[in-house]
Amino acid sequence: GENVEQHPSTLSVQEGDSAVIKCTYSDSASNYFPWYKQELGKRPQLIIDIRSNVGEKKDQRIAVTLNKTAKHFSLHITETQPEDSAVYFCAASIGYSTLTFGKGTMLLVSP
Amino acid sequence: DVKVTQSSRYLVKRTGEKVFLECVQDMDHENMFWYRQDPGLGLRLIYFSYDVKMKEKGDIPEGYSVSREKKERFSLILESASTNQTSMYLCASSIGGSKNIQYFGAGTRLSVL
């Protein structure tokens, strides 16, 4: 089955810096890659997703890039703010099947 | 706005007890999922269902079963709870078809003593 590796497991940045979280996947048939954000004590929520026919997608301060050849995708957060502090999960799926999640990255943004 | 409701926020049970975790969604979603979340292990899929009375094993089904008698309700059952099932349990639903965005419940933190 699909395997998703996520790095780093923790990331500390200063407010205003950029943050990058990287994921790799094993199954070349995977074609949907969402990112979920889970604030402390809250439920995971989708923040951005990308399909395999697109190389990059941006939504205000967040962007996701996909390299199908290398089988990796990344989340980029620019101008980080304290409210960006959370655990971020990447995931991958084939078609409309189940999601396989990475183990998560705890992002801490210090004022 | 999609609402996925888990019946309990916190549960404390004893080893060997039968435990029911309930999840209800109000958006007529086809698909429902149960995950457990442990520090450093991310979200691991226990069971999922694409339709009423249908269930499929996920990555870690051992020690669990599920029931989906109605479209809006998906129950996770621990037949005989053990201490290694102490965890956060998250339910999720998705509309199905080409849209596999999952919406999560707030979670149930289960402690098995």
Side-chain angles (χ1 to χ4, degrees):
Chain A
E2 174 67 281
N3 183 49
V4 177
E5 300 282 342
Q6 182 171 349
H7 299 279
S9 55
T10 59
L11 178 60
S12 292
V13 300
Q14 292 291 122
E15 183 177 358
D17 288 350
S18 294
V20 180
I21 303 170
K22 298 181 180 181
C23 289
T24 60
Y25 59 99
S26 60
D27 195 327
S28 56
S30 289
N31 59 3
Y32 176 66
F33 308 93
W35 287 87
Y36 285 78
K37 174 184 180 182
Q38 185 178 29
E39 296 176 17
L40 188 63
K42 301 278 183 68
R43 67 194 73 194
Q45 290 191 298
L46 178 77
I47 55 170
I48 195 167
D49 58 7
I50 192 168
R51 296 198 179 270
S52 59
N53 57 345
V54 175
E56 183 174 357
K57 185 176 178 180
K58 194 172 182 180
D59 182 4
Q60 298 183 333
R61 295 187 297 107
I62 61 172
V64 57
T65 58
L66 171 65
N67 183 328
K68 287 187 293 183
T69 303
K71 290 189 285 187
H72 69 70
F73 56 112
S74 300
L75 178 71
H76 305 254
I77 306 174
T78 58
E79 300 172 23
T80 53
Q81 300 166 6
E83 52 265 39
D84 294 328
S85 295
V87 178
Y88 292 81
F89 293 98
C90 64
S93 75
I94 301 170
Y96 312 133
S97 67
T98 58
L99 296 175
T100 300
F101 286 88
K103 292 183 179 179
T105 296
M106 180 177 291
L107 173 65
L108 178 61
V109 181
S110 302
Chain B
D1 197 23
V2 178
K3 198 167 184 182
V4 180
T5 304
Q6 294 184 231
S7 55
S8 303
R9 197 78 171 95
Y10 300 95
L11 268 181
V12 180
K13 297 292 182 180
R14 297 211 173 270
T15 304
E17 278 193 79
K18 190 169 185 176
V19 181
F20 293 86
L21 303 183
E22 306 287 344
C23 176
V24 177
Q25 50 92 6
D26 67 355
M27 286 301 292
D28 201 35
H29 282 179
E30 300 290 332
N31 307 333
M32 297 189 75
F33 309 85
W34 275 106
Y35 296 90
R36 64 176 282 174
Q37 181 175 19
D38 300 289
L41 297 179
L43 300 167
R44 293 182 292 166
L45 183 63
I46 305 171
Y47 266 96
F48 61 100
S49 169
Y50 287 151
D51 201 354
V52 176
K53 299 210 185 275
M54 174 270 180
K55 60 185 178 183
E56 293 283 348
K57 293 180 180 178
D59 298 319
I60 52 164
E62 296 78 20
Y64 304 95
S65 63
V66 290
S67 172
R68 194 167 181 200
E69 295 296 318
K70 293 185 178 181
K71 189 175 185 180
E72 67 271 19
R73 186 180 298 269
F74 194 35
S75 303
L76 180 69
I77 304 157
L78 287 67
E79 293 289 342
S80 178
S82 63
T83 54
N84 62 12
Q85 292 179 308
T86 291
S87 186
M88 171 67 84
Y89 290 87
L90 288 166
C91 174
S93 71
S94 68
I95 195 169
S98 63
K99 299 200 180 288
N100 48 358
I101 297 172
Q102 293 189 14
Y103 298 87
F104 285 85
T108 296
R109 184 164 294 282
L110 173 67
S111 296
V112 182
L113 306 178

